[in-house]
Amino acid sequence: MPFHPRTLIRRAAIAKCVNKTPAMTSVYNFRVESYALDEVPALNIWTGDDDVDKASVETAPRELKREVELGFTCGLKQTDNFVALHDGSLADALDSFALIVENLISADDTLDGTASDCVLSRTPKLTISEQGDQLLGTIELSFRATYFSNAPVDLPVDILDFADIRQSLANAVHADNQSHDVLPDLYTP
């Protein structure tokens, strides 16, 4: 089964970040839950809404120009070694984490060919909260990844394998009088 371009874009972003950020291998593909203290440092990579360029709807054959939000949520706690490198400032460490991600993604604006362009669209949003006696911080940043999708010409739809249709009314109608439709050449893969 082919993958949706959004999936390929996320996977390319993950490959760019694994072992190259403070999260090391704790890089998640579309994690929904918030981070717990024992799960950070971590990095969540997700895709948001797709926008379709209205002008591309007018093309023939139809090739849609689409932009998807590619988001990154970086998480650290106050006692992480990476924070200690920033004189104990969780905010400074989160800014550095975001800068690392920004540089990794910006270094290849096609994300290994999965997008036609990828550019920073929203600068970091920093959040720090208390978790017991610890501080837990996250910082989010977003890119806009542009990709194109073509309208399918031939879709193999399994539901069309019903070319020989018989209707039974639970023997309420004699078999000679029941409907029977044959739709030859309706679907040829």
Side-chain angles (χ1 to χ4, degrees), residues 19-160:
N19 288 321
K20 296 177 187 135
T21 72
M24 296 306 288
T25 60
S26 296
V27 179
Y28 298 97
N29 183 355
F30 222 111
R31 179 187 168 118
V32 178
E33 316 86 44
S34 300
Y35 296 129
L37 283 172
D38 62 345
E39 297 175 317
V40 292
L43 175 61
N44 181 29
I45 300 176
W46 46 274
T47 47
D49 293 339
D50 263 1
D51 291 323
V52 177
D53 182 324
K54 294 187 186 335
S56 71
V57 173
E58 305 296 324
T59 62
R62 182 143 310 134
E63 180 181 58
L64 299 178
K65 179 181 180 183
R66 300 165 78 163
E67 285 190 349
V68 64
E69 179 183 15
L70 177 62
F72 298 81
T73 305
C74 313
L76 293 170
K77 66 179 174 282
Q78 184 69 45
T79 56
D80 286 331
N81 291 335
F82 192 69
V83 176
L85 295 173
H86 293 81
D87 298 323
S89 171
L90 182 56
D92 290 351
L94 286 165
D95 282 338
S96 289
F97 195 158
L99 183 60
I100 291 167
V101 171
E102 184 179 339
N103 288 336
L104 287 168
I105 300 305
S106 297
D108 175 7
D109 62 1
T110 68
L111 296 172
D112 292 330
T114 61
S116 67
D117 194 20
C118 187
V119 64
L120 183 67
S121 63
R122 187 168 45 106
T123 56
K125 173 187 167 192
L126 187 128
T127 305
I128 296 177
S129 61
E130 289 186 50
Q131 300 264 327
D133 62 345
Q134 276 276 358
L135 292 179
L136 176 67
T138 60
I139 194 163
E140 291 185 6
L141 63 154
S142 295
F143 288 76
R144 296 299 295 174
T146 304
Y147 67 95
F148 293 86
S149 63
N150 296 314
V153 178
D154 288 324
L155 282 181
V157 181
D158 294 336
I159 198 164
L160 293 178

